[in-house]
Amino acid sequence: MITRNKFRNNLFIYYSSIFILFTLLILSYLYKKRKRIQDLTLNDELDNVTKVIDNYIKSNSIYENRNWILTDSIVRLLPQEELRVTVVSPSGEVMVR
């Protein structure tokens, strides 16, 4: 009887540890996958904002006229509330913050 209970206890511990191990593996996989999707979504959103601002700068000839105050109006129109826009020239000079 004692050996039977010991066998059951060992079997329970064995299966429990396997279950916990697989649960941790699945959770870590899902966490990494969710993080990757979140990063891709953020990058896509920022890329879209960059394209909108670039098109705005080109269509209003802001770079040629050096009228950087106009970029404030496009920032207010974007749905992201805490977005900060910095325009950098191709040579690396910061045009407007």
Side-chain angles (χ1 to χ4, degrees), residues 5-71:
N5 284 339
K6 186 176 180 182
F7 176 73
R8 283 186 183 175
N9 286 340
N10 286 340
L11 194 61
F12 176 74
I13 291 171
Y14 177 72
Y15 282 125
S16 296
S17 62
I18 289 176
F19 175 75
I20 290 171
L21 177 69
F22 279 115
T23 303
L24 289 175
L25 288 174
I26 290 171
L27 286 176
S28 69
Y29 170 75
L30 290 175
Y31 174 77
K32 287 178 185 178
K33 184 176 180 178
R34 183 173 179 264
K35 180 99 169 114
R36 188 172 358 119
I37 290 172
Q38 205 171 20
D39 289 344
L40 289 174
T41 303
L42 178 63
N43 284 337
D44 286 344
E45 187 175 338
L46 290 176
D47 191 40
N48 289 337
V49 168
T50 301
K51 288 176 184 176
V52 167
I53 292 173
D54 185 50
N55 288 337
Y56 181 79
I57 288 173
K58 287 178 182 176
S59 67
N60 291 315
S61 303
I62 293 175
Y63 186 73
E64 291 83 15
N65 299 334
R66 303 283 186 198
N67 192 7
W68 299 109
I69 301 296
L70 291 176
T71 57

Side-chain angles (χ1 to χ4, degrees), residues 5 10 22 57 68 72 74 79 83 86 91 93 95:
N5 284 339
N10 286 340
F22 279 115
I57 288 173
W68 299 109
D72 290 340
I74 189 72
L83 184 67
T86 303
S91 64
E93 178 187 352
M95 307 309 271

